[in-house]
Amino acid sequence: MIFLNAFLHSIKLPRKKAIFQLNRIGMDITIIYMFILLLLVSIPSLIDRITNSSSHSADLSFIFLIIYFFIFYYLPMAIIVFILLSAIAYIGTNLAKIMGRKLKFSIIWKMTAFTTTVPFFLYALIALTTPISDYYLWFFCVYSLVLLIMIISVYPKRRTK
């Protein structure tokens, strides 16, 4: 149920209520949510590997094909996505300082993770119907950064003494 709430609130970003509801979700739930979202994104590629009989993985049994897919596709993709989320959150932390907002890296990282819901979900839907390049996933960086700036501006400014 918490994952459904996280999904629904992340679609509503950058609304103020959605931001503060997502802020209450723990980091452990956020990371599991990202793994589930990445699994959703990788389903079209998995279907392509299973149905493609001309690739070098066509000779593998179904179980080994699944293991092969998770080791050589899902795991590297997850690592790359988490590194990119951290880089965007680092940029967001610096933007928060410039904008005079009192935000920590962990909060910005969590918000950045939730901003990827819409582009990843759209990618999965489009990739199920038509072939699409994995380079589309790079556009989530721009989308997440723009949305992150909007989210940072919702938080109150630091008080000056």
Side-chain angles (χ1 to χ4, degrees), residues 18-151:
I19 292 169
F20 291 117
Q21 288 293 322
L22 289 172
N23 197 20
R24 292 188 183 114
I25 294 175
M27 188 61 85
D28 54 343
I29 300 297
T30 304
I31 291 174
I32 294 170
Y33 177 81
M34 282 305 301
F35 279 120
I36 293 170
L37 195 59
L38 290 173
L39 184 64
L40 175 75
V41 168
S42 64
I43 286 174
S45 183
L46 177 62
I47 291 171
D48 183 49
R49 303 235 186 210
I50 290 171
T51 58
N52 190 356
S53 61
S54 64
S55 69
H56 64 278
S57 61
D59 298 333
L60 296 174
S61 70
F62 183 73
I63 299 297
F64 285 120
L65 182 65
I66 298 293
I67 292 169
Y68 177 83
F69 178 78
F70 278 104
I71 290 173
F72 294 109
Y73 185 82
Y74 181 78
L75 183 61
M77 181 183 67
I79 291 169
I80 290 169
V81 166
F82 278 89
I83 289 171
L84 285 173
L85 285 176
S86 298
I88 293 170
Y90 179 74
I91 293 169
T93 304
N94 290 331
L95 288 172
K97 286 180 185 175
I98 291 170
M99 294 170 71
R101 302 303 200 258
K102 188 177 180 180
L103 293 169
K104 297 191 185 262
F105 178 80
S106 60
I107 293 171
I108 294 177
W109 193 94
K110 191 186 328 179
M111 289 299 132
T112 305
F114 287 122
T115 62
T116 62
T117 300
V118 172
F120 281 170
F121 195 70
L122 285 175
Y123 173 84
L125 288 176
I126 293 169
L128 280 172
T129 58
T130 61
I132 186 170
S133 173
D134 288 341
Y135 292 111
Y136 168 78
L137 295 174
W138 288 99
F139 288 116
F140 94 87
C141 293
V142 175
Y143 177 83
S144 292
L145 197 56
V146 169
L147 205 56
L148 189 61
I149 292 169
M150 295 168 71
I151 289 170

